[in-house]
Amino acid sequence: MKTLINEEQLGEGIRRLAAEIHKHYEDKPLTIIGVMIGSVVLLADLIRLLDLPLRVELVQARSYRAGSTRPGPLVINVELLSRGIQGRDVLLVDDIFDTGHTLWELIPQIDELGPASVRSAVLLWKEGRSEVAMKPDFAAFTIPNEFVVGYGLDYHDRYRNLPYLAALEPHEIEDQATNNPAGNNA
Ligand code: 5GP
Ligand code: MG
């Protein structure tokens, strides 16, 4: 495992991201929607850095099968939203923009609920990997195509606790696709 973004760089990037978001919305009310599970650590930091009237919500999107770094079928659950978002500015927060399918499929589902605007913010953007016709509106870091862990991102339920971001070495990844449809995470 090698460190990709150390704790200090990570802190700076997140403060920069929060400042950009704040500048964009100024002091307008905002609904921030975290895409579980990988984004919860970022979400917790953004909540503490954004000094504006903020509603916090969660949705779930899962595509990674347990034991694999390859995506499985995407399952999105917007029923977790507890309050309406009609007429509100909405910011979706996710950990990584990789192929982009998660946000690409999630945004129309959010749009159907009648928000004033929908934008997206991600911690990491794996540039060049996108398979969809969109880009995240805000991204703290662009990174090469490596499997990253730490700061909320896991592999086999491990490493979410790391206070920095690391990339797994190829020999650390047992990438056999499992036939375990029940066990996926994101
Ligand atoms: P996308 O739909 O953009 O391909 O993938 C988005 C989701 O895949 C991310 O929210 C994240 O949950 C998962 N993912 C993509 N790349 C990585 C990675 O390098 N490490 C980890 N732990 N998860 C990843
Ligand atoms: Mg995710």
Side-chain angles (χ1 to χ4, degrees):
M1 202 160 75
K2 59 172 192 278
T3 302
L4 195 65
I5 296 169
N6 70 31
E7 206 172 339
E8 194 188 330
Q9 295 167 323
L10 187 55
E12 276 170 23
I14 292 157
R15 282 191 294 277
R16 210 167 45 231
L17 177 68
E20 267 181 61
I21 293 170
H22 194 260
K23 192 172 158 206
H24 185 88
Y25 293 101
E26 295 181 331
D27 289 320
K28 286 200 287 179
L30 179 65
T31 296
I32 191 168
I33 303 180
V35 184
M36 293 203 280
I37 310 282
S39 70
V40 295
V41 177
L42 172 63
L43 187 66
D45 276 344
L46 285 180
I47 289 169
R48 287 175 288 186
L49 288 166
L50 288 174
D51 184 16
L52 43 79
L54 195 64
R55 277 191 198 165
V56 181
E57 295 280 354
L58 292 165
V59 293
Q60 189 174 39
R62 297 179 302 169
S63 61
Y64 276 68
R65 289 166 186 226
S68 175
T69 57
R70 283 185 237 157
L74 184 64
V75 180
I76 291 178
N77 186 351
V78 295
E79 288 75 37
L80 291 172
L81 293 176
S82 67
R83 297 171 80 175
I85 55 172
Q86 192 159 19
R88 294 186 56 93
D89 289 315
V90 168
L91 181 67
L92 297 169
V93 172
D94 206 356
D95 48 8
I96 301 191
F97 189 94
D98 180 20
T99 66
H101 286 288
T102 304
L103 286 175
W104 180 253
E105 292 189 32
L106 179 57
I107 287 170
Q109 297 192 30
I110 295 295
D111 254 332
E112 270 181 34
L113 304 173
S117 70
V118 183
R119 289 188 177 75
S120 58
V122 296
L123 179 68
L124 305 172
W125 181 8
K126 286 191 193 171
E127 236 178 340
R129 291 262 306 157
S130 178
E131 295 174 1
V132 298
M134 68 163 284
K135 292 173 183 176
D137 297 289
F138 307 95
F141 300 97
T142 56
I143 57 163
N145 180 24
E146 295 193 83
F147 195 81
V148 296
V149 294
Y151 191 70
L153 290 154
D154 80 313
Y155 177 60
H156 278 255
D157 298 333
R158 295 195 62 192
Y159 312 122
R160 286 197 205 272
N161 58 312
L162 298 179
Y164 55 88
L165 286 155
L168 296 184
E169 314 273 1
H171 72 268
E172 293 172 302
I173 300 172
E174 318 154 22
D175 205 7
Q176 75 280 14
T178 63
N179 286 318
N180 172 16
N184 37 34
N185 64 4

